[in-house]
Amino acid sequence: MVPVKKSGMIDRWVKKHLVLYTGATSHPFILSIRDGTIDFSSFKRWLGQDYIFVREFVPFTASVLLKASKNSDDSSDMEVILSGLASLSDEISWFKQEAAKWDVPLSDVIVHKSNQNYCRFLESLMLPELEYSVVVTALWAIETVYQESFSHCLEDDSKTPPELLEACKRWGSEGFGEFCRSLQNIVNQCLEKASEEELIKAEVTFLRVLELEIEFWNMSQEGAK
């Protein structure tokens, strides 16, 4: 099991912004899955929108990998990020299979405004002048919100519908948790050496991810455009 350094900047940020962090990782959309009360139309909406997001997430993750190859002092950073990038091919295939199962025509999905905003944010993080510490913070935050969120749906007392267990296990599993803890260690190590300006940028990026995740969950649950 990958241990996480408890003295890192990430833990301080989570405590500092706990209300927002909890809003992103324990959103009513996720809790409705956990409690077995979800309207399946909400899940189908999430499925179509997240497929679009993941396709945009691939080049972003690749850009983080490129920055790691040029800026990281630890070769293991590349290995961790590459493992995440490699898994995205399987993830896209999974979305296509689930869409077919739930009768969600992916080619007809209209991108919601919240998704457009999130994808534009990913594009902004791919600018070459952005520091590695900032973009890897974003990568960690995006992955961790999903891991912590879907792990709630696998708790012993959860009433997650059987039809949604596979989705919850994809992101809520201990294996994905290990990956997220490895990313957190990378972020903490980067931030230990970061300038004050980088720390501010990284924290702002962390908060923006949380805000965008909440907007994405809201859209999935309510269908708001």
Side-chain angles (χ1 to χ4, degrees):
M1 183 174 179
V2 178
V4 171
K5 295 180 180 179
K6 293 299 181 185
S7 59
M9 184 64 70
I10 289 298
D11 286 305
R12 278 175 265 173
W13 286 350
V14 169
K15 291 175 183 176
K16 180 180 176 183
H17 306 290
L18 189 57
V19 172
L20 191 61
Y21 187 79
T22 302
T25 57
S26 297
H27 189 276
F29 173 75
I30 288 295
L31 297 183
S32 72
I33 297 176
R34 182 190 184 281
D35 297 339
T37 59
I38 186 170
D39 184 332
F40 286 129
S41 65
S42 296
F43 177 78
K44 291 167 69 174
R45 186 180 304 113
W46 167 82
L47 189 70
Q49 294 297 321
D50 210 27
Y51 168 75
I52 293 169
F53 176 81
V54 170
R55 292 184 67 88
E56 295 298 322
F57 188 61
V58 171
F60 163 68
T61 305
S63 73
V64 179
L65 178 64
L66 182 60
K67 279 190 167 72
S69 71
K70 295 180 177 180
N71 298 286
S72 175
D73 298 328
D74 190 336
S75 60
S76 66
D77 285 20
M78 282 189 63
E79 296 170 12
V80 172
I81 297 167
L82 181 59
S83 71
L85 181 60
S87 71
L88 293 177
S89 176
D90 176 67
E91 194 165 299
I92 287 174
S93 296
W94 179 84
F95 271 105
K96 290 179 177 178
Q97 292 166 6
E98 285 294 297
K101 185 197 307 183
W102 289 92
D103 195 25
V104 177
L106 294 175
S107 60
D108 296 339
V109 173
I110 298 173
V111 186
H112 282 262
K113 183 178 180 181
S114 57
N115 201 0
Q116 292 174 352
N117 291 340
Y118 210 160
C119 291
R120 279 196 291 265
F121 175 68
L122 290 183
E123 290 176 5
S124 73
L125 292 174
M126 289 188 273
L127 295 172
E129 61 266 25
L130 268 182
E131 297 87 347
Y132 172 55
S133 60
V134 174
V135 298
V136 77
T137 295
L139 178 63
W140 163 80
I142 292 167
E143 299 286 40
T144 295
V145 166
Y146 262 47
Q147 201 284 321
E148 290 207 20
S149 294
F150 283 104
S151 67
H152 293 312
C153 305
L154 301 178
E155 293 168 349
D156 291 341
D157 61 344
S158 68
K159 299 176 182 178
T160 298
E163 304 95 320
L164 305 187
L165 274 174
E166 186 179 347
C168 297
K169 289 177 180 176
R170 173 166 286 276
W171 290 282
S173 68
E174 178 58 28
F176 192 62
E178 292 269 317
F179 168 67
C180 291
R181 285 189 287 275
S182 295
L183 282 178
Q184 182 169 338
N185 284 335
I186 290 172
V187 174
N188 279 331
Q189 290 166 8
C190 285
L191 296 178
E192 284 176 5
K193 299 174 286 186
S195 66
E196 189 63 32
E197 182 182 359
E198 282 181 54
L199 286 174
I200 292 171
K201 283 184 185 178
E203 185 174 6
V204 168
T205 298
F206 167 57
L207 293 177
R208 186 61 182 142
V209 168
L210 298 182
E211 292 167 350
L212 288 165
E213 289 287 352
I214 290 171
E215 290 175 12
F216 201 96
W217 294 136
N218 287 343
M219 172 271 298
S220 299
Q221 185 175 40
E222 303 165 6
K225 295 185 179 181

